[in-house]
Amino acid sequence: MKLKKLDQGKEYTTDAIVIGAGPIGLFAVFELGLLDIKTHLVDILDNPGGQCTELYPEKPIYDIPGIPKISGQGLTDELLKQIAPFDPSFHLSQMAESLFQNENKEWVLETNEKTKITSKVVIIAAGGGSFVPKKPPIPNIEKYEQLGFVKYSLKKLDEYKNKNILITGGGDSALDWTNILAPIANKVTLVHRRDEFRAAPDSVSKMHKFRDEGKVDLKIGQVKELNGENKLEEVQIESIGGENKYDIKTDYLMPFFGLTMKLGPIANFGLNLERNLINVDSEKFETNVKKIFAIGDINFYPGKLKLILSGFHEAALMSQQAFKYIFPEKKLRFQYTTTSSSLQNKLGIK
Ligand code: FAD
């Protein structure tokens, strides 16, 4: 399915906003779609799939009902196929940051990229929270983050043309960005704790080729100190035993140590929380705030199991109540996809 990605920084209106495009957010689009409810999905990641694609894309899952074995990426691909008839809109690489009610009592969600989406209901399917980059323990790193010289993700490559870049890490992101930046930067220094990498062998060979050509400098050690007045100027590297220290001139530091999950701004949405999970009832999966639901790993109710199949069930029940809020004048009829020609029409089945 080709994702319908909308422009950032604009205003949109829809029936339902789904925060989180993990497996449960994606399946919610299907259940809502069967009830004629249109959705916009927001996710901080640049691809849908949540934990399935970010943490275990190739590992098999064995407990999806009716599917004996499927990988994390495979399940995401199938869910995307399943929701394609409902043509959901995606706002990716954006953090759902604040939520408030307008004068018409509709919900307005604002992202960190200033996208504003107005809707009648909000479904939080934020899993373990938003994925955020792991920060290295360097004493004054915040100063240079604020000045914009420490980057955890890269958008405009032009910014790095002819610059000196120092990348740390040994996984796919560190190696991929080393290889992308080597041809355009003045110099890329890759710093890693050992001369072995977790990245794809292809990327490692490419990096070694750039090193042989003098475009990449590989240093074994770790970053200890950042220096510079109003900008980053020098990074101090220490060898693993601590016996050698040396300074490297650089314009940017790019640490790539993977991602961790944090509840993030949702904690400030005014919802009742229990140990960083959102309290819901187990009939409608609604929070303490009317028209805001929470489904999947992010919610808590007695007997909750953090399984994909539980989230799918929650999405189905949540949708029934969302329908009542969105179409108060309509009667909700229970139908099977097997026998209802009306549902089959919505799914594009001839
Ligand atoms: P997630 O998959 O966590 O997706 C939530 C999404 O919300 C993320 O993409 C996140 O970026 C986004 N998000 C959060 N906050 C924000 C915000 N403020 N703004 C924007 N985006 C936001 N379950 C099973 O049933 N069977 C298994 O075999 C199984 N194996 C697993 C193996 C591993 C290694 C792991 C880690 C988990 C496994 N699970 C398994 C658990 C399963 O992956 C989760 O139950 C499932 O991913 C929950 O889906 P979700 O959509 O609720 O949340």
Side-chain angles (χ1 to χ4, degrees):
M1 168 190 173
K2 190 167 177 330
L3 302 182
K4 183 158 105 190
K5 294 185 192 172
L6 299 188
D7 289 342
Q8 296 186 348
K10 301 227 165 108
E11 297 194 12
Y12 301 94
T13 301
T14 185
D15 295 330
I17 298 167
V18 178
I19 302 175
I24 310 311
L26 294 178
F27 192 64
V29 172
F30 182 81
E31 288 296 326
L32 293 164
L34 287 179
L35 304 181
D36 295 324
I37 299 169
K38 294 192 179 49
T39 45
H40 279 223
L41 289 134
V42 180
D43 204 300
I44 185 71
L45 296 176
D46 55 6
N47 271 304
Q51 293 175 49
C52 294
T53 45
E54 203 53 37
L55 302 181
Y56 57 101
E58 289 175 11
K59 280 207 178 83
I61 310 170
Y62 298 100
D63 57 353
I64 302 297
I67 307 176
K69 181 179 173 186
I70 190 162
S71 67
Q73 184 63 56
L75 177 66
T76 305
D77 294 343
E78 291 302 313
L79 284 166
L80 287 170
K81 258 191 239 165
Q82 195 169 21
I83 66 173
F86 301 115
D87 197 26
S89 299
F90 285 85
H91 303 270
L92 298 176
S93 308
Q94 291 180 71
M95 176 83 90
E97 211 160 55
S98 64
L99 184 65
F100 56 91
Q101 258 183 329
N102 65 15
E103 59 284 1
N104 302 325
K105 298 272 175 228
E106 294 162 321
W107 288 109
V108 182
L109 178 85
E110 208 169 314
T111 74
N112 62 331
E113 298 291 349
K114 304 285 169 243
T115 304
K116 266 192 190 172
I117 316 168
T118 303
S119 72
K120 299 187 181 94
V121 301
V122 176
I123 295 105
I124 303 176
S130 50
F131 285 93
V132 288
K134 285 187 191 157
K135 290 188 183 186
I138 306 170
N140 52 352
I141 193 162
E142 287 82 11
K143 171 181 163 185
Y144 298 98
E145 282 173 359
Q146 279 159 17
L147 289 168
F149 298 105
V150 178
K151 303 276 182 186
Y152 296 98
S153 65
L154 279 68
K155 285 185 182 156
K156 294 186 187 117
L157 287 185
D158 263 6
E159 196 181 337
Y160 311 106
K161 217 169 167 178
N162 303 323
K163 300 285 185 194
N164 294 319
I165 315 273
L166 193 139
I167 292 178
T168 54
D172 282 315
S173 298
L175 274 282
D176 286 351
W177 284 114
T178 299
N179 294 333
I180 291 169
L181 292 169
I184 59 170
N186 179 47
K187 193 180 98 188
V188 177
T189 307
L190 175 63
V191 179
H192 186 42
R193 291 172 62 85
R194 52 190 170 274
D195 199 2
E196 276 169 23
F197 297 89
R198 294 183 316 279
D202 234 28
S203 314
V204 179
S205 336
K206 207 165 164 193
M207 181 274 292
H208 281 305
K209 196 163 160 278
F210 279 128
R211 187 174 66 159
D212 295 344
E213 291 166 5
K215 289 183 179 151
V216 168
D217 190 10
L218 176 62
K219 299 277 186 215
I220 307 302
Q222 53 192 330
V223 174
K224 271 289 160 192
E225 226 178 84
L226 308 180
N227 295 305
E229 265 304 302
N230 295 320
K231 65 191 212 46
L232 182 61
E233 286 166 16
E234 230 169 46
V235 171
Q236 188 184 79
I237 310 287
E238 190 180 88
S239 61
I240 294 308
E243 57 285 341
N244 294 318
K245 285 191 177 135
Y246 41 93
D247 294 326
I248 295 181
K249 295 233 169 302
T250 194
D251 300 303
Y252 291 99
L253 170 69
M254 300 179 181
F256 292 113
F257 293 124
L259 300 168
T260 181
M261 295 183 89
K262 287 215 173 110
L263 183 58
I266 291 170
N268 308 322
F269 284 5
L271 306 173
N272 284 348
L273 300 178
E274 176 140 346
R275 278 174 282 129
N276 269 344
L277 298 170
I278 302 173
N279 270 314
V280 289
D281 65 73
S282 54
E283 180 194 345
K284 311 179 294 297
F285 303 94
E286 197 166 13
T287 66
N288 60 306
V289 179
K290 206 173 158 183
K291 301 186 185 178
I292 302 185
F293 300 85
I295 56 174
D297 276 16
I298 193 81
N299 74 12
F300 177 79
Y301 54 90
K304 167 75 182 182
L305 275 184
K306 282 193 188 185
L307 283 175
I308 295 168
L309 65 87
S310 317
F312 288 171
H313 159 82
E314 294 160 16
L317 268 63
M318 168 279 295
S319 301
Q320 304 281 308
Q321 181 63 26
F323 177 92
K324 291 177 192 158
Y325 287 139
I326 295 169
F327 305 116
E329 73 292 350
K330 287 192 190 168
K331 199 168 165 358
L332 183 58
R333 253 190 334 122
F334 177 77
Q335 301 177 81
Y336 291 124
T337 53
T338 337
T339 47
S340 158
S341 52
S342 145
L343 292 184
Q344 289 172 8
N345 278 341
K346 293 176 197 180
L347 293 169
I349 293 155
K350 301 235 159 62

